[in-house]
Amino acid sequence: NLQKTINIGWTGTFSSKQYLDSIKNVLIRLNKIIKFNLIIIGNFEYSIPGINVQVIEWNKENEIKDLQKIDIGIYPLIKNNWTLGKGGLKAIQFMALEIPTVATNFGNTPNIIKNNYSGILVNNEEEWIAGLTYLINNPKERLRQGQNARKEIINNFSLDTLKSKYQ
């Protein structure tokens, strides 16, 4: 099998590490089904036994280049009031770079991602595993959702679009 190992990626700081921790069990279970690399762009060390984790120190100069190493973005959230105030910037970053994203279906995320069109919205562990497995196994679908995601961001979140909304 000459297929390259897929890079699942997450970006964030130590203060948002709890969101990544919230799907640690998903990643452990997924790794038993299919091998993948986990890329973390952040400012802290991280490891999960049995999973190939690559931590890349975040820096402004290389951020885009580092994000482009990611095949599938993950945006896990914890369902609480604090999270309701989050704007979804990480999901928007992935989407702008044509990276298909699997995200917790909560808060502002459903306003950003159209399920199975510009990403996959999930509600529980089983859906996380199903969504990630589906994207890992379907390169055409990764491409389609990534392209749709970029279109959505340009249409809804680009400077020109926002400028016209607030003039």
Side-chain angles (χ1 to χ4, degrees), residues 63-80:
E63 184 177 25
I64 301 297
K65 192 169 64 99
D66 291 338
L67 285 165
Q68 285 170 330
K69 295 173 184 164
I70 295 170
D71 299 302
I72 301 168
I74 50 174
Y75 186 58
L77 295 171
I78 295 164
K79 296 182 178 183
N80 61 27

Side-chain angles (χ1 to χ4, degrees), residues 3-139:
Q3 271 190 317
K4 76 176 191 88
T5 305
I6 290 294
N7 294 325
I8 294 176
W10 180 87
T11 176
T13 57
F14 183 77
S15 67
S16 54
K17 176 177 167 283
Q18 57 177 328
Y19 300 111
L20 182 58
D21 287 339
S22 75
I23 61 159
K24 207 176 222 184
N25 197 43
V26 164
L27 297 171
I28 290 166
R29 286 178 58 193
L30 180 66
N31 190 51
K32 290 184 175 129
I33 303 164
I34 195 160
K35 291 288 171 240
F36 61 90
N37 302 315
L38 181 63
I39 292 181
I40 293 166
I41 301 170
N43 63 352
F44 56 91
E45 285 302 307
Y46 201 78
S47 66
I48 303 174
I51 297 178
N52 180 23
V53 179
Q54 181 191 3
V55 177
I56 301 172
E57 182 81 28
W58 181 89
N59 78 63
K60 199 169 59 151
E61 288 69 38
N62 295 332
E63 184 177 25
I64 301 297
K65 192 169 64 99
D66 291 338
L67 285 165
Q68 285 170 330
K69 295 173 184 164
I70 295 170
D71 299 302
I72 301 168
I74 50 174
Y75 186 58
L77 295 171
I78 295 164
K79 296 182 178 183
N80 61 27
N81 285 340
W82 172 255
T83 305
L84 284 174
K86 289 176 76 69
L89 176 67
K90 289 172 195 144
I92 292 169
Q93 274 187 308
F94 289 139
M95 293 169 73
L97 294 169
E98 288 193 12
I99 301 166
T101 304
V102 181
T104 306
N105 185 17
F106 184 72
N108 196 39
T109 314
N111 299 325
I112 301 168
I113 294 175
K114 286 190 184 134
N115 195 27
N116 295 319
Y117 174 76
S118 56
I120 297 179
L121 296 171
V122 295
N123 296 293
N124 55 45
E125 268 194 22
E126 301 312 317
E127 290 181 11
W128 269 105
I129 290 169
L132 288 166
T133 303
Y134 177 66
L135 286 177
I136 290 169
N137 288 330
N138 292 282

